[in-house]
Amino acid sequence: VGGILLVTFLLFYNTLTNNFVNLDDSGYIKDNPDIKSLSAKNIAAIFSSFYNANYHPFTTLSYAIEYNLFGLNAKPYHFVNLFIHLLNTFMVFRLIKKISGKIEVAAITALFFAIHPMHVESVAWISERKDLLYSFFFICGLSTYYDYTHAKTGRSKLFIYTILLFVCSLLSKSTAIVFPLMLLVFDY
């Protein structure tokens, strides 16, 4: 899996030189007063506001943390996107290895996931962090659900983790609403 992560990093490394774009980056980051400080008032606003007609407080909170650490330097935002994509690739590898029991199948699946052109926008465009975050929690939730269905002990704890990861995914992007349907697919 290390080789897959290295190839992925090298393929997406050039995104680290990107800047903010004039699409959603202004509304989510550059002109968003709610991310300018990590005060209780701003955090409450993040969890009670829609940005560009989207509700994704975990994503917005991640921008607030970065803004308070790095200001409007775009490089750290791009680095975090790439890092989350690498985490997602690793989690896909782990999940498929659990399901198939074969390292080769997991490696091929993770490689296709990592380098698929569908992910370029999510990694290269700061505002698409919502895809990366929701995917991370979604994949982790599927993994804990798989563990739950195969565990002899500690099942209730694994089920609670699955629900918490679903909520985290949902708070990152509303697309995660399909998670319960995916659990039915797993059961099938």
Side-chain angles (χ1 to χ4, degrees):
V1 75
I4 294 168
L5 295 176
L6 179 62
V7 166
T8 306
F9 179 81
L10 293 174
L11 283 174
F12 287 99
Y13 177 76
N14 64 341
T15 65
L16 298 179
T17 61
N18 292 354
N19 210 334
F20 293 100
V21 294
N22 291 331
L23 295 170
D24 294 342
D25 288 351
S26 294
Y28 290 140
I29 301 159
K30 290 168 59 178
D31 300 328
N32 185 350
D34 295 336
I35 71 164
K36 304 297 184 203
S37 90
L38 291 171
S39 67
K41 178 185 171 198
N42 282 15
I43 291 173
I46 287 170
F47 278 87
S48 61
S49 300
F50 285 78
Y51 300 95
N52 294 349
N54 289 300
Y55 182 74
H56 42 62
F58 275 18
T59 304
T60 307
L61 185 60
S62 76
Y63 298 143
I65 292 168
E66 281 176 281
Y67 181 86
N68 283 272
L69 291 173
F70 308 108
L72 289 176
N73 178 1
K75 191 170 195 161
Y77 294 86
H78 286 291
F79 180 80
V80 169
N81 278 14
L82 177 53
F83 181 74
I84 296 170
H85 182 60
L86 293 171
L87 281 175
N88 288 344
T89 300
F90 177 74
M91 292 309 298
V92 165
F93 175 83
R94 278 193 60 216
L95 177 61
I96 299 303
K97 186 172 178 274
K98 282 181 190 182
I99 293 170
S100 71
K102 298 179 180 174
I103 291 177
E104 302 83 16
V105 172
I108 291 168
T109 305
L111 179 63
F112 280 131
F113 175 87
I115 65 172
H116 196 283
M118 175 178 75
H119 297 293
V120 172
E121 183 178 283
S122 298
V123 178
W125 183 16
I126 295 169
S127 291
E128 282 302 300
R129 166 131 357 125
K130 55 189 171 279
D131 282 344
L132 299 167
L133 276 180
Y134 116 82
S135 296
F136 175 73
F137 292 120
F138 198 99
I139 296 164
C140 289
L142 292 177
S143 185
T144 58
Y145 186 75
Y146 182 87
D147 293 343
Y148 160 78
T149 60
H150 291 81
K152 304 286 188 235
T153 61
R155 289 174 47 95
S156 58
K157 180 175 67 171
L158 289 167
F159 189 74
I160 290 168
Y161 290 158
T162 300
I163 299 299
L164 289 174
L165 288 163
F166 165 54
V167 170
C168 290
S169 185
L170 202 52
L171 292 173
S172 299
K173 186 175 181 181
S174 59
T175 307
I177 197 68
V178 300
F179 185 82
L181 297 174
M182 286 300 299
L183 299 185
L184 293 174
V185 170
F186 257 58
D187 287 341
Y188 176 74

